[in-house]
mmCIF file of all heavy atoms in Angstrom:
data_model
loop_
_atom_site.group_PDB
_atom_site.id
_atom_site.type_symbol
_atom_site.label_atom_id
_atom_site.label_comp_id
_atom_site.label_asym_id
_atom_site.label_seq_id
_atom_site.Cartn_x
_atom_site.Cartn_y
_atom_site.Cartn_z
ATOM 1 N N ILE Z 184 -65.778 57.380 31.848
ATOM 2 C CA ILE Z 184 -66.121 58.030 33.127
ATOM 3 C C ILE Z 184 -65.509 57.246 34.291
ATOM 4 O O ILE Z 184 -65.015 57.834 35.258
ATOM 5 C CB ILE Z 184 -67.649 58.178 33.283
ATOM 6 C CG1 ILE Z 184 -68.190 59.117 32.210
ATOM 7 C CG2 ILE Z 184 -68.015 58.695 34.684
ATOM 8 C CD1 ILE Z 184 -69.702 59.115 32.078
ATOM 9 N N ALA Z 187 -61.985 58.197 34.598
ATOM 10 C CA ALA Z 187 -61.889 59.543 35.176
ATOM 11 C C ALA Z 187 -62.207 59.513 36.672
ATOM 12 O O ALA Z 187 -61.569 60.214 37.474
ATOM 13 C CB ALA Z 187 -62.832 60.492 34.442
ATOM 14 N N LEU Z 188 -63.171 58.683 37.030
ATOM 15 C CA LEU Z 188 -63.541 58.564 38.446
ATOM 16 C C LEU Z 188 -62.388 57.946 39.247
ATOM 17 O O LEU Z 188 -62.059 58.414 40.343
ATOM 18 C CB LEU Z 188 -64.812 57.718 38.595
ATOM 19 C CG LEU Z 188 -65.292 57.406 40.011
ATOM 20 C CD1 LEU Z 188 -65.476 58.670 40.843
ATOM 21 C CD2 LEU Z 188 -66.609 56.612 39.972
ATOM 22 N N HIS Z 231 -73.055 53.978 34.823
ATOM 23 C CA HIS Z 231 -73.895 53.698 33.652
ATOM 24 C C HIS Z 231 -74.359 55.002 33.010
ATOM 25 O O HIS Z 231 -74.110 56.090 33.532
ATOM 26 C CB HIS Z 231 -75.126 52.875 34.077
ATOM 27 C CG HIS Z 231 -74.779 51.464 34.436
ATOM 28 N ND1 HIS Z 231 -75.019 50.403 33.612
ATOM 29 C CD2 HIS Z 231 -74.159 50.962 35.545
ATOM 30 C CE1 HIS Z 231 -74.576 49.298 34.185
ATOM 31 N NE2 HIS Z 231 -74.054 49.609 35.365
ATOM 32 N N ALA Z 243 -78.796 62.928 35.913
ATOM 33 C CA ALA Z 243 -78.271 61.732 36.580
ATOM 34 C C ALA Z 243 -79.236 61.222 37.649
ATOM 35 O O ALA Z 243 -80.049 61.980 38.186
ATOM 36 C CB ALA Z 243 -76.928 62.056 37.225
ATOM 37 N N VAL Z 304 -73.590 61.250 47.131
ATOM 38 C CA VAL Z 304 -73.295 61.371 45.700
ATOM 39 C C VAL Z 304 -74.403 62.161 45.001
ATOM 40 O O VAL Z 304 -74.136 63.007 44.144
ATOM 41 C CB VAL Z 304 -73.097 59.975 45.066
ATOM 42 C CG1 VAL Z 304 -72.984 60.057 43.551
ATOM 43 C CG2 VAL Z 304 -71.848 59.305 45.657
ATOM 44 N N LEU Z 308 -73.798 65.569 42.885
ATOM 45 C CA LEU Z 308 -74.243 65.730 41.495
ATOM 46 C C LEU Z 308 -75.201 66.914 41.381
ATOM 47 O O LEU Z 308 -75.195 67.651 40.402
ATOM 48 C CB LEU Z 308 -74.907 64.449 40.990
ATOM 49 C CG LEU Z 308 -73.944 63.297 40.674
ATOM 50 C CD1 LEU Z 308 -74.689 61.972 40.571
ATOM 51 C CD2 LEU Z 308 -73.163 63.562 39.384
ATOM 52 N N VAL Z 311 -73.423 70.186 41.014
ATOM 53 C CA VAL Z 311 -72.935 70.578 39.686
ATOM 54 C C VAL Z 311 -74.080 70.598 38.662
ATOM 55 O O VAL Z 311 -73.843 70.655 37.461
ATOM 56 C CB VAL Z 311 -71.769 69.673 39.191
ATOM 57 C CG1 VAL Z 311 -70.551 69.840 40.082
ATOM 58 C CG2 VAL Z 311 -72.171 68.211 39.118
ATOM 59 N N GLU Z 313 -76.433 68.357 37.778
ATOM 60 C CA GLU Z 313 -76.509 67.228 36.851
ATOM 61 C C GLU Z 313 -77.598 66.228 37.207
ATOM 62 O O GLU Z 313 -77.580 65.105 36.750
ATOM 63 C CB GLU Z 313 -75.160 66.483 36.835
ATOM 64 C CG GLU Z 313 -73.980 67.325 36.419
ATOM 65 C CD GLU Z 313 -74.010 67.684 34.940
ATOM 66 O OE1 GLU Z 313 -74.824 67.097 34.200
ATOM 67 O OE2 GLU Z 313 -73.232 68.553 34.533
ATOM 68 N N VAL Z 337 -74.676 54.500 39.495
ATOM 69 C CA VAL Z 337 -74.904 55.880 39.075
ATOM 70 C C VAL Z 337 -75.240 55.895 37.590
ATOM 71 O O VAL Z 337 -74.431 55.484 36.757
ATOM 72 C CB VAL Z 337 -73.667 56.765 39.351
ATOM 73 C CG1 VAL Z 337 -73.964 58.219 38.980
ATOM 74 C CG2 VAL Z 337 -73.225 56.667 40.811
ATOM 75 N N GLU Z 338 -76.450 56.316 37.268
ATOM 76 C CA GLU Z 338 -76.815 56.578 35.873
ATOM 77 C C GLU Z 338 -76.411 58.033 35.649
ATOM 78 O O GLU Z 338 -77.084 58.954 36.099
ATOM 79 C CB GLU Z 338 -78.316 56.359 35.652
ATOM 80 C CG GLU Z 338 -78.788 54.923 35.877
ATOM 81 C CD GLU Z 338 -78.488 53.975 34.711
ATOM 82 O OE1 GLU Z 338 -77.966 54.422 33.667
ATOM 83 O OE2 GLU Z 338 -78.773 52.759 34.852
ATOM 84 N N THR Z 339 -75.276 58.217 34.991
ATOM 85 C CA THR Z 339 -74.653 59.545 34.961
ATOM 86 C C THR Z 339 -75.412 60.554 34.113
ATOM 87 O O THR Z 339 -75.308 61.765 34.338
ATOM 88 C CB THR Z 339 -73.228 59.435 34.405
ATOM 89 O OG1 THR Z 339 -73.276 58.687 33.180
ATOM 90 C CG2 THR Z 339 -72.307 58.730 35.385
ATOM 91 N N ALA Z 340 -76.151 60.067 33.108
ATOM 92 C CA ALA Z 340 -76.863 60.961 32.195
ATOM 93 C C ALA Z 340 -77.727 60.103 31.284
ATOM 94 O O ALA Z 340 -77.675 58.879 31.353
ATOM 95 C CB ALA Z 340 -75.859 61.761 31.355
ATOM 96 N N GLU Z 347 -77.118 65.449 25.896
ATOM 97 C CA GLU Z 347 -76.316 64.698 26.890
ATOM 98 C C GLU Z 347 -75.426 63.669 26.207
ATOM 99 O O GLU Z 347 -74.320 63.406 26.659
ATOM 100 C CB GLU Z 347 -77.231 64.033 27.930
ATOM 101 C CG GLU Z 347 -77.798 65.044 28.910
ATOM 102 C CD GLU Z 347 -78.128 64.451 30.281
ATOM 103 O OE1 GLU Z 347 -78.548 63.297 30.334
ATOM 104 O OE2 GLU Z 347 -77.944 65.181 31.288
ATOM 105 N N ARG Z 350 -72.414 65.492 25.209
ATOM 106 C CA ARG Z 350 -71.581 65.868 26.364
ATOM 107 C C ARG Z 350 -70.904 64.649 26.982
ATOM 108 O O ARG Z 350 -69.783 64.741 27.487
ATOM 109 C CB ARG Z 350 -72.428 66.600 27.406
ATOM 110 C CG ARG Z 350 -72.934 67.941 26.897
ATOM 111 C CD ARG Z 350 -73.945 68.543 27.850
ATOM 112 N NE ARG Z 350 -73.320 69.037 29.069
ATOM 113 C CZ ARG Z 350 -73.943 69.128 30.245
ATOM 114 N NH1 ARG Z 350 -75.194 68.739 30.364
ATOM 115 N NH2 ARG Z 350 -73.311 69.596 31.297
ATOM 116 N N LEU Z 351 -71.600 63.521 26.964
ATOM 117 C CA LEU Z 351 -71.012 62.298 27.541
ATOM 118 C C LEU Z 351 -69.719 61.901 26.829
ATOM 119 O O LEU Z 351 -68.880 61.207 27.390
ATOM 120 C CB LEU Z 351 -72.009 61.131 27.460
ATOM 121 C CG LEU Z 351 -73.070 61.063 28.554
ATOM 122 C CD1 LEU Z 351 -74.109 59.995 28.210
ATOM 123 C CD2 LEU Z 351 -72.438 60.758 29.918
ATOM 124 N N GLU Z 353 -67.517 64.061 25.776
ATOM 125 C CA GLU Z 353 -66.462 65.052 26.028
ATOM 126 C C GLU Z 353 -65.684 64.715 27.295
ATOM 127 O O GLU Z 353 -66.272 64.559 28.359
ATOM 128 C CB GLU Z 353 -67.079 66.452 26.205
ATOM 129 C CG GLU Z 353 -67.712 66.996 24.959
ATOM 130 C CD GLU Z 353 -68.593 68.211 25.252
ATOM 131 O OE1 GLU Z 353 -68.609 68.700 26.400
ATOM 132 O OE2 GLU Z 353 -69.284 68.647 24.304
ATOM 133 N N PRO Z 354 -64.349 64.634 27.172
ATOM 134 C CA PRO Z 354 -63.534 64.340 28.360
ATOM 135 C C PRO Z 354 -63.776 65.318 29.508
ATOM 136 O O PRO Z 354 -63.765 64.920 30.675
ATOM 137 C CB PRO Z 354 -62.099 64.444 27.837
ATOM 138 C CG PRO Z 354 -62.208 64.130 26.374
ATOM 139 C CD PRO Z 354 -63.539 64.685 25.943
ATOM 140 N N SER Z 355 -64.051 66.597 29.183
ATOM 141 C CA SER Z 355 -64.263 67.573 30.257
ATOM 142 C C SER Z 355 -65.537 67.229 31.036
ATOM 143 O O SER Z 355 -65.586 67.356 32.268
ATOM 144 C CB SER Z 355 -64.354 68.986 29.686
ATOM 145 O OG SER Z 355 -65.440 69.059 28.782
ATOM 146 N N GLN Z 356 -66.580 66.798 30.329
ATOM 147 C CA GLN Z 356 -67.825 66.425 31.008
ATOM 148 C C GLN Z 356 -67.648 65.112 31.778
ATOM 149 O O GLN Z 356 -68.174 64.956 32.883
ATOM 150 C CB GLN Z 356 -68.968 66.300 29.986
ATOM 151 C CG GLN Z 356 -70.296 65.857 30.580
ATOM 152 C CD GLN Z 356 -70.877 66.864 31.580
ATOM 153 O OE1 GLN Z 356 -70.333 67.954 31.756
ATOM 154 N NE2 GLN Z 356 -71.952 66.488 32.254
ATOM 155 N N GLN Z 357 -66.908 64.181 31.203
ATOM 156 C CA GLN Z 357 -66.636 62.917 31.900
ATOM 157 C C GLN Z 357 -65.916 63.211 33.218
ATOM 158 O O GLN Z 357 -66.244 62.649 34.265
ATOM 159 C CB GLN Z 357 -65.777 62.005 31.011
ATOM 160 C CG GLN Z 357 -66.518 61.526 29.771
ATOM 161 C CD GLN Z 357 -65.583 61.009 28.683
ATOM 162 O OE1 GLN Z 357 -64.359 61.072 28.810
ATOM 163 N NE2 GLN Z 357 -66.164 60.500 27.599
ATOM 164 N N ALA Z 358 -64.951 64.121 33.165
ATOM 165 C CA ALA Z 358 -64.177 64.461 34.363
ATOM 166 C C ALA Z 358 -65.049 65.183 35.384
ATOM 167 O O ALA Z 358 -64.920 64.977 36.599
ATOM 168 C CB ALA Z 358 -62.978 65.330 33.981
ATOM 169 N N ARG Z 359 -65.957 66.018 34.898
ATOM 170 C CA ARG Z 359 -66.843 66.775 35.779
ATOM 171 C C ARG Z 359 -67.761 65.829 36.567
ATOM 172 O O ARG Z 359 -67.924 65.956 37.779
ATOM 173 C CB ARG Z 359 -67.661 67.694 34.866
ATOM 174 C CG ARG Z 359 -68.528 68.703 35.498
ATOM 175 C CD ARG Z 359 -69.084 69.547 34.324
ATOM 176 N NE ARG Z 359 -70.447 69.907 34.538
ATOM 177 C CZ ARG Z 359 -70.812 71.046 35.150
ATOM 178 N NH1 ARG Z 359 -69.901 71.879 35.574
ATOM 179 N NH2 ARG Z 359 -72.082 71.322 35.317
ATOM 180 N N LEU Z 360 -68.354 64.876 35.843
ATOM 181 C CA LEU Z 360 -69.203 63.882 36.507
ATOM 182 C C LEU Z 360 -68.375 63.062 37.493
ATOM 183 O O LEU Z 360 -68.796 62.797 38.621
ATOM 184 C CB LEU Z 360 -69.837 62.956 35.460
ATOM 185 C CG LEU Z 360 -70.942 63.583 34.595
ATOM 186 C CD1 LEU Z 360 -71.204 62.729 33.354
ATOM 187 C CD2 LEU Z 360 -72.225 63.758 35.406
ATOM 188 N N ALA Z 361 -67.177 62.680 37.060
ATOM 189 C CA ALA Z 361 -66.307 61.859 37.903
ATOM 190 C C ALA Z 361 -65.936 62.606 39.183
ATOM 191 O O ALA Z 361 -65.961 62.030 40.275
ATOM 192 C CB ALA Z 361 -65.046 61.478 37.123
ATOM 193 N N ARG Z 362 -65.614 63.867 39.071
ATOM 194 C CA ARG Z 362 -65.231 64.648 40.259
ATOM 195 C C ARG Z 362 -66.404 64.761 41.236
ATOM 196 O O ARG Z 362 -66.219 64.697 42.443
ATOM 197 C CB ARG Z 362 -64.737 66.040 39.847
ATOM 198 C CG ARG Z 362 -63.287 66.069 39.380
ATOM 199 C CD ARG Z 362 -62.758 67.504 39.362
ATOM 200 N NE ARG Z 362 -63.603 68.375 38.554
ATOM 201 C CZ ARG Z 362 -63.425 68.607 37.248
ATOM 202 N NH1 ARG Z 362 -62.415 68.034 36.615
ATOM 203 N NH2 ARG Z 362 -64.231 69.411 36.583
ATOM 204 N N ALA Z 363 -67.603 64.941 40.680
ATOM 205 C CA ALA Z 363 -68.781 65.042 41.554
ATOM 206 C C ALA Z 363 -69.000 63.726 42.304
ATOM 207 O O ALA Z 363 -69.221 63.728 43.522
ATOM 208 C CB ALA Z 363 -70.013 65.409 40.736
ATOM 209 N N ILE Z 364 -68.927 62.614 41.587
ATOM 210 C CA ILE Z 364 -69.134 61.315 42.250
ATOM 211 C C ILE Z 364 -68.047 61.107 43.307
ATOM 212 O O ILE Z 364 -68.327 60.704 44.441
ATOM 213 C CB ILE Z 364 -69.123 60.157 41.218
ATOM 214 C CG1 ILE Z 364 -70.275 60.320 40.220
ATOM 215 C CG2 ILE Z 364 -69.223 58.803 41.922
ATOM 216 C CD1 ILE Z 364 -70.171 59.424 38.980
ATOM 217 N N ALA Z 365 -66.801 61.415 42.950
ATOM 218 C CA ALA Z 365 -65.683 61.241 43.891
ATOM 219 C C ALA Z 365 -65.882 62.095 45.139
ATOM 220 O O ALA Z 365 -65.607 61.647 46.257
ATOM 221 C CB ALA Z 365 -64.358 61.583 43.208
ATOM 222 N N SER Z 366 -66.391 63.302 44.966
ATOM 223 C CA SER Z 366 -66.540 64.157 46.149
ATOM 224 C C SER Z 366 -67.664 63.646 47.045
ATOM 225 O O SER Z 366 -67.580 63.748 48.271
ATOM 226 C CB SER Z 366 -66.724 65.625 45.754
ATOM 227 O OG SER Z 366 -68.061 65.857 45.393
#
Side-chain angles (χ1 to χ4, degrees):
I184 296 168
L188 176 54
H231 288 257
V304 172
L308 286 164
V311 295
E313 301 290 348
V337 183
E338 296 281 356
T339 50
E347 286 208 325
R350 294 171 73 207
L351 278 171
E353 293 166 7
S355 60
Q356 178 64 6
Q357 293 162 356
R359 188 174 142 91
L360 288 164
R362 279 196 305 269
I364 298 167
S366 81

